[in-house]
Amino acid sequence: MIIGKAKSRKSFFINIAVSAVLNNDILLSQFRGALPQDKRKVIYFDTEQGKFHASKVARRPLVMNGYMQDEDYHFYALRTMDYKQRRNFIEYILYTKFKDEKIGLVIIDGAADLVSDVNNMEQSTEVQELLMRWSGELNCHISTIIHSNYGSTKPT
């Protein structure tokens, strides 16, 4: 989980990590990215950005590696969906679209957007259980990005 204040470059940090993983090497002399050769798929879901910014975020790991595209990297912008649609879409992508492919890393930028009310313990527990189920069944790493609450260091 990556936690930080709004506009603290959380997405940029995760882009560095994704770039290192796609490159399967050391990036910026500090980030080592390594996935098993049979689990090279990286699936990135962004729940917050509009089209323009989402396209910039989507391309950044490719540009960092000097790629135009990478068949193992897939980016989805989910801003226009409600929280239930986002959950269902993520599950569809993970279990249907990439059913027979080995996913190594899943990024969910905006995990708080998978619930209607971040203070609702039942919904928060449902998302926690979804993340645990997905990572366990798919045997992959899931990294989420969430904001810290305004005026606090606690995550949303």
mmCIF file of all heavy atoms in Angstrom, residues 81-104:
data_model
loop_
_atom_site.group_PDB
_atom_site.id
_atom_site.type_symbol
_atom_site.label_atom_id
_atom_site.label_comp_id
_atom_site.label_asym_id
_atom_site.label_seq_id
_atom_site.Cartn_x
_atom_site.Cartn_y
_atom_site.Cartn_z
ATOM 1 N N MET A 81 -16.846 5.098 -13.812
ATOM 2 C CA MET A 81 -17.651 4.015 -13.248
ATOM 3 C C MET A 81 -17.967 4.291 -11.789
ATOM 4 O O MET A 81 -17.217 4.987 -11.109
ATOM 5 C CB MET A 81 -16.882 2.693 -13.319
ATOM 6 C CG MET A 81 -16.545 2.249 -14.696
ATOM 7 S SD MET A 81 -15.570 0.726 -14.607
ATOM 8 C CE MET A 81 -15.229 0.474 -16.333
ATOM 9 N N ASP A 82 -19.080 3.715 -11.297
ATOM 10 C CA ASP A 82 -19.340 3.795 -9.860
ATOM 11 C C ASP A 82 -18.541 2.686 -9.156
ATOM 12 O O ASP A 82 -17.917 1.850 -9.815
ATOM 13 C CB ASP A 82 -20.837 3.740 -9.547
ATOM 14 C CG ASP A 82 -21.499 2.402 -9.843
ATOM 15 O OD1 ASP A 82 -20.870 1.334 -9.660
ATOM 16 O OD2 ASP A 82 -22.676 2.408 -10.249
ATOM 17 N N TYR A 83 -18.554 2.690 -7.848
ATOM 18 C CA TYR A 83 -17.680 1.783 -7.106
ATOM 19 C C TYR A 83 -17.979 0.310 -7.374
ATOM 20 O O TYR A 83 -17.058 -0.520 -7.450
ATOM 21 C CB TYR A 83 -17.699 2.094 -5.602
ATOM 22 C CG TYR A 83 -18.918 1.615 -4.861
ATOM 23 C CD1 TYR A 83 -18.887 0.424 -4.153
ATOM 24 C CD2 TYR A 83 -20.104 2.348 -4.849
ATOM 25 C CE1 TYR A 83 -20.005 -0.024 -3.454
ATOM 26 C CE2 TYR A 83 -21.215 1.913 -4.164
ATOM 27 C CZ TYR A 83 -21.165 0.728 -3.464
ATOM 28 O OH TYR A 83 -22.262 0.281 -2.775
ATOM 29 N N LYS A 84 -19.244 -0.046 -7.555
ATOM 30 C CA LYS A 84 -19.592 -1.444 -7.843
ATOM 31 C C LYS A 84 -19.113 -1.839 -9.239
ATOM 32 O O LYS A 84 -18.596 -2.943 -9.433
ATOM 33 C CB LYS A 84 -21.094 -1.665 -7.727
ATOM 34 C CG LYS A 84 -21.609 -1.618 -6.308
ATOM 35 C CD LYS A 84 -23.111 -1.818 -6.275
ATOM 36 C CE LYS A 84 -23.644 -1.674 -4.860
ATOM 37 N NZ LYS A 84 -25.101 -1.774 -4.808
ATOM 38 N N GLN A 85 -19.281 -0.932 -10.201
ATOM 39 C CA GLN A 85 -18.810 -1.208 -11.556
ATOM 40 C C GLN A 85 -17.293 -1.377 -11.573
ATOM 41 O O GLN A 85 -16.775 -2.233 -12.295
ATOM 42 C CB GLN A 85 -19.214 -0.077 -12.505
ATOM 43 C CG GLN A 85 -20.692 -0.002 -12.780
ATOM 44 C CD GLN A 85 -21.069 1.247 -13.563
ATOM 45 O OE1 GLN A 85 -20.543 2.336 -13.330
ATOM 46 N NE2 GLN A 85 -22.000 1.089 -14.504
ATOM 47 N N ARG A 86 -16.586 -0.565 -10.791
ATOM 48 C CA ARG A 86 -15.124 -0.688 -10.726
ATOM 49 C C ARG A 86 -14.709 -2.060 -10.217
ATOM 50 O O ARG A 86 -13.845 -2.711 -10.792
ATOM 51 C CB ARG A 86 -14.541 0.393 -9.820
ATOM 52 C CG ARG A 86 -14.603 1.768 -10.396
ATOM 53 C CD ARG A 86 -13.947 2.789 -9.455
ATOM 54 N NE ARG A 86 -14.199 4.121 -9.950
ATOM 55 C CZ ARG A 86 -14.893 5.052 -9.296
ATOM 56 N NH1 ARG A 86 -15.385 4.800 -8.097
ATOM 57 N NH2 ARG A 86 -15.081 6.232 -9.837
ATOM 58 N N ARG A 87 -15.328 -2.501 -9.124
ATOM 59 C CA ARG A 87 -15.014 -3.831 -8.571
ATOM 60 C C ARG A 87 -15.272 -4.925 -9.602
ATOM 61 O O ARG A 87 -14.446 -5.809 -9.807
ATOM 62 C CB ARG A 87 -15.873 -4.122 -7.344
ATOM 63 C CG ARG A 87 -15.515 -3.372 -6.112
ATOM 64 C CD ARG A 87 -16.377 -3.931 -5.006
ATOM 65 N NE ARG A 87 -16.484 -3.048 -3.870
ATOM 66 C CZ ARG A 87 -17.189 -3.326 -2.796
ATOM 67 N NH1 ARG A 87 -17.864 -4.457 -2.713
ATOM 68 N NH2 ARG A 87 -17.236 -2.495 -1.788
ATOM 69 N N ASN A 88 -16.449 -4.860 -10.222
ATOM 70 C CA ASN A 88 -16.816 -5.873 -11.208
ATOM 71 C C ASN A 88 -15.882 -5.852 -12.415
ATOM 72 O O ASN A 88 -15.504 -6.901 -12.938
ATOM 73 C CB ASN A 88 -18.270 -5.697 -11.664
ATOM 74 C CG ASN A 88 -19.258 -6.014 -10.562
ATOM 75 O OD1 ASN A 88 -18.963 -6.762 -9.634
ATOM 76 N ND2 ASN A 88 -20.434 -5.426 -10.651
ATOM 77 N N PHE A 89 -15.513 -4.656 -12.857
ATOM 78 C CA PHE A 89 -14.617 -4.531 -14.008
ATOM 79 C C PHE A 89 -13.248 -5.122 -13.686
ATOM 80 O O PHE A 89 -12.684 -5.864 -14.492
ATOM 81 C CB PHE A 89 -14.485 -3.062 -14.421
ATOM 82 C CG PHE A 89 -13.642 -2.877 -15.646
ATOM 83 C CD1 PHE A 89 -14.191 -3.052 -16.906
ATOM 84 C CD2 PHE A 89 -12.301 -2.537 -15.543
ATOM 85 C CE1 PHE A 89 -13.410 -2.888 -18.044
ATOM 86 C CE2 PHE A 89 -11.517 -2.374 -16.664
ATOM 87 C CZ PHE A 89 -12.074 -2.548 -17.926
ATOM 88 N N ILE A 90 -12.706 -4.787 -12.522
ATOM 89 C CA ILE A 90 -11.404 -5.326 -12.131
ATOM 90 C C ILE A 90 -11.462 -6.849 -12.095
ATOM 91 O O ILE A 90 -10.583 -7.532 -12.634
ATOM 92 C CB ILE A 90 -10.952 -4.747 -10.771
ATOM 93 C CG1 ILE A 90 -10.638 -3.250 -10.913
ATOM 94 C CG2 ILE A 90 -9.743 -5.517 -10.227
ATOM 95 C CD1 ILE A 90 -10.422 -2.523 -9.606
ATOM 96 N N GLU A 91 -12.499 -7.378 -11.489
ATOM 97 C CA GLU A 91 -12.635 -8.834 -11.410
ATOM 98 C C GLU A 91 -12.758 -9.449 -12.809
ATOM 99 O O GLU A 91 -12.166 -10.484 -13.093
ATOM 100 C CB GLU A 91 -13.831 -9.215 -10.539
ATOM 101 C CG GLU A 91 -13.874 -10.681 -10.220
ATOM 102 C CD GLU A 91 -14.371 -10.949 -8.813
ATOM 103 O OE1 GLU A 91 -15.168 -10.160 -8.279
ATOM 104 O OE2 GLU A 91 -13.948 -11.971 -8.255
ATOM 105 N N TYR A 92 -13.502 -8.807 -13.688
ATOM 106 C CA TYR A 92 -13.638 -9.290 -15.058
ATOM 107 C C TYR A 92 -12.271 -9.335 -15.747
ATOM 108 O O TYR A 92 -11.917 -10.329 -16.391
ATOM 109 C CB TYR A 92 -14.613 -8.410 -15.851
ATOM 110 C CG TYR A 92 -14.544 -8.675 -17.334
ATOM 111 C CD1 TYR A 92 -15.194 -9.769 -17.894
ATOM 112 C CD2 TYR A 92 -13.803 -7.845 -18.166
ATOM 113 C CE1 TYR A 92 -15.116 -10.032 -19.251
ATOM 114 C CE2 TYR A 92 -13.714 -8.096 -19.528
ATOM 115 C CZ TYR A 92 -14.368 -9.191 -20.059
ATOM 116 O OH TYR A 92 -14.265 -9.452 -21.409
ATOM 117 N N ILE A 93 -11.527 -8.255 -15.645
ATOM 118 C CA ILE A 93 -10.209 -8.194 -16.293
ATOM 119 C C ILE A 93 -9.294 -9.279 -15.738
ATOM 120 O O ILE A 93 -8.636 -10.006 -16.494
ATOM 121 C CB ILE A 93 -9.572 -6.793 -16.116
ATOM 122 C CG1 ILE A 93 -10.380 -5.738 -16.877
ATOM 123 C CG2 ILE A 93 -8.105 -6.794 -16.552
ATOM 124 C CD1 ILE A 93 -10.452 -5.926 -18.380
ATOM 125 N N LEU A 94 -9.253 -9.421 -14.421
ATOM 126 C CA LEU A 94 -8.342 -10.379 -13.808
ATOM 127 C C LEU A 94 -8.718 -11.830 -14.092
ATOM 128 O O LEU A 94 -7.848 -12.669 -14.317
ATOM 129 C CB LEU A 94 -8.268 -10.148 -12.296
ATOM 130 C CG LEU A 94 -7.730 -8.794 -11.841
ATOM 131 C CD1 LEU A 94 -7.752 -8.700 -10.322
ATOM 132 C CD2 LEU A 94 -6.331 -8.538 -12.382
ATOM 133 N N TYR A 95 -10.012 -12.125 -14.077
ATOM 134 C CA TYR A 95 -10.449 -13.524 -14.170
ATOM 135 C C TYR A 95 -10.958 -13.941 -15.547
ATOM 136 O O TYR A 95 -11.052 -15.134 -15.818
ATOM 137 C CB TYR A 95 -11.539 -13.806 -13.136
ATOM 138 C CG TYR A 95 -10.986 -13.914 -11.744
ATOM 139 C CD1 TYR A 95 -10.953 -12.808 -10.908
ATOM 140 C CD2 TYR A 95 -10.477 -15.117 -11.263
ATOM 141 C CE1 TYR A 95 -10.434 -12.903 -9.624
ATOM 142 C CE2 TYR A 95 -9.962 -15.218 -9.980
ATOM 143 C CZ TYR A 95 -9.943 -14.109 -9.175
ATOM 144 O OH TYR A 95 -9.423 -14.203 -7.906
ATOM 145 N N THR A 96 -11.309 -12.985 -16.396
ATOM 146 C CA THR A 96 -11.846 -13.347 -17.713
ATOM 147 C C THR A 96 -10.899 -12.942 -18.837
ATOM 148 O O THR A 96 -10.453 -13.785 -19.604
ATOM 149 C CB THR A 96 -13.237 -12.708 -17.925
ATOM 150 O OG1 THR A 96 -14.082 -13.102 -16.835
ATOM 151 C CG2 THR A 96 -13.856 -13.167 -19.231
ATOM 152 N N LYS A 97 -10.577 -11.665 -18.911
ATOM 153 C CA LYS A 97 -9.721 -11.205 -20.010
ATOM 154 C C LYS A 97 -8.339 -11.850 -19.956
ATOM 155 O O LYS A 97 -7.787 -12.236 -20.977
ATOM 156 C CB LYS A 97 -9.595 -9.694 -20.005
ATOM 157 C CG LYS A 97 -8.732 -9.210 -21.150
ATOM 158 C CD LYS A 97 -8.856 -7.769 -21.437
ATOM 159 C CE LYS A 97 -7.990 -7.478 -22.658
ATOM 160 N NZ LYS A 97 -8.090 -6.143 -23.107
ATOM 161 N N PHE A 98 -7.768 -11.964 -18.767
ATOM 162 C CA PHE A 98 -6.428 -12.546 -18.628
ATOM 163 C C PHE A 98 -6.488 -13.897 -17.931
ATOM 164 O O PHE A 98 -5.572 -14.272 -17.195
ATOM 165 C CB PHE A 98 -5.506 -11.577 -17.875
ATOM 166 C CG PHE A 98 -5.258 -10.315 -18.646
ATOM 167 C CD1 PHE A 98 -5.865 -9.125 -18.279
ATOM 168 C CD2 PHE A 98 -4.438 -10.319 -19.764
ATOM 169 C CE1 PHE A 98 -5.650 -7.971 -18.999
ATOM 170 C CE2 PHE A 98 -4.220 -9.163 -20.486
ATOM 171 C CZ PHE A 98 -4.826 -7.982 -20.106
ATOM 172 N N LYS A 99 -7.557 -14.624 -18.171
ATOM 173 C CA LYS A 99 -7.828 -15.889 -17.484
ATOM 174 C C LYS A 99 -6.656 -16.865 -17.522
ATOM 175 O O LYS A 99 -6.280 -17.422 -16.503
ATOM 176 C CB LYS A 99 -9.064 -16.542 -18.097
ATOM 177 C CG LYS A 99 -9.432 -17.859 -17.481
ATOM 178 C CD LYS A 99 -10.640 -18.451 -18.153
ATOM 179 C CE LYS A 99 -10.965 -19.795 -17.536
ATOM 180 N NZ LYS A 99 -12.048 -20.452 -18.218
ATOM 181 N N ASP A 100 -6.090 -17.080 -18.688
ATOM 182 C CA ASP A 100 -5.034 -18.084 -18.827
ATOM 183 C C ASP A 100 -3.637 -17.486 -18.832
ATOM 184 O O ASP A 100 -2.667 -18.172 -19.127
ATOM 185 C CB ASP A 100 -5.265 -18.902 -20.106
ATOM 186 C CG ASP A 100 -6.571 -19.672 -20.039
ATOM 187 O OD1 ASP A 100 -6.922 -20.149 -18.939
ATOM 188 O OD2 ASP A 100 -7.251 -19.778 -21.079
ATOM 189 N N GLU A 101 -3.536 -16.208 -18.518
ATOM 190 C CA GLU A 101 -2.232 -15.562 -18.508
ATOM 191 C C GLU A 101 -1.793 -15.327 -17.069
ATOM 192 O O GLU A 101 -2.608 -15.128 -16.187
ATOM 193 C CB GLU A 101 -2.298 -14.253 -19.287
ATOM 194 C CG GLU A 101 -2.695 -14.497 -20.739
ATOM 195 C CD GLU A 101 -2.669 -13.237 -21.558
ATOM 196 O OE1 GLU A 101 -1.660 -12.518 -21.471
ATOM 197 O OE2 GLU A 101 -3.640 -12.987 -22.276
ATOM 198 N N LYS A 102 -0.514 -15.351 -16.862
ATOM 199 C CA LYS A 102 0.039 -15.218 -15.517
ATOM 200 C C LYS A 102 0.274 -13.751 -15.186
ATOM 201 O O LYS A 102 1.140 -13.097 -15.764
ATOM 202 C CB LYS A 102 1.346 -15.994 -15.397
ATOM 203 C CG LYS A 102 1.204 -17.471 -15.691
ATOM 204 C CD LYS A 102 0.385 -18.149 -14.624
ATOM 205 C CE LYS A 102 0.336 -19.643 -14.887
ATOM 206 N NZ LYS A 102 -0.357 -20.378 -13.899
ATOM 207 N N ILE A 103 -0.512 -13.245 -14.252
ATOM 208 C CA ILE A 103 -0.394 -11.855 -13.802
ATOM 209 C C ILE A 103 0.603 -11.808 -12.649
ATOM 210 O O ILE A 103 0.494 -12.567 -11.698
ATOM 211 C CB ILE A 103 -1.767 -11.318 -13.363
ATOM 212 C CG1 ILE A 103 -2.753 -11.359 -14.528
ATOM 213 C CG2 ILE A 103 -1.643 -9.909 -12.799
ATOM 214 C CD1 ILE A 103 -4.192 -11.107 -14.125
ATOM 215 N N GLY A 104 1.562 -10.905 -12.733
ATOM 216 C CA GLY A 104 2.549 -10.759 -11.674
ATOM 217 C C GLY A 104 2.267 -9.592 -10.749
ATOM 218 O O GLY A 104 2.538 -9.651 -9.553
#
